[in-house]
């Protein structure tokens, strides 16, 4: 089974622009994990989307919501 990517208009930011200078190599990845009666939700933010996508795909989700930056 493959992961379905769906683009959405808005997702919460977990990384602030002021943190860019502290991480010049762009390796910052931040996750927020929550759960309720409907299941587990993993919200991620990263300077390099490829790093976050690789991490999320290893978790084996059915669907990933993604926001385009810029």
């Amino acid at each position: 089974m493959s992961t379905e990517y769906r683009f959405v208009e808005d997702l919460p930011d977990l990384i602030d622009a002021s943190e860019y200078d502290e991480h010049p190599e762009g390796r910052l990845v931040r996750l927020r994990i929550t759960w309720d009666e409907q299941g587990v939700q993993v919200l991620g933010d990263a300077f390099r989307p490829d790093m976050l996508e690789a991490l999320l795909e290893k978790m084996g989700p059915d669907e990933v919501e993604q926001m385009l930056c810029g």
Side-chain angles (χ1 to χ4, degrees):
M1 181 176 4
S2 65
T3 302
E4 177 184 334
Y5 281 81
R6 187 166 56 95
F7 292 102
V8 296
E9 287 188 34
D10 189 44
L11 290 170
D13 287 325
L14 300 180
I15 298 175
D16 187 87
S18 66
E19 296 178 272
Y20 283 63
D21 290 340
E22 298 171 27
H23 303 276
E25 296 175 1
R27 295 186 182 191
L28 180 62
V29 175
R30 191 162 286 147
L31 298 174
R32 178 189 302 155
I33 302 171
T34 56
W35 69 94
D36 61 20
E37 62 279 348
Q38 295 179 353
V40 176
Q41 179 184 51
V42 178
L43 177 66
D45 199 352
F47 289 151
R48 294 177 41 198
D50 58 324
M51 293 176 73
L52 180 58
E53 289 172 6
L55 178 63
L56 292 174
E57 284 201 14
K58 287 182 182 201
M59 294 179 187
D62 294 330
E63 179 180 89
V64 171
E65 292 182 343
Q66 187 174 28
M67 185 179 88
L68 296 175
C69 298

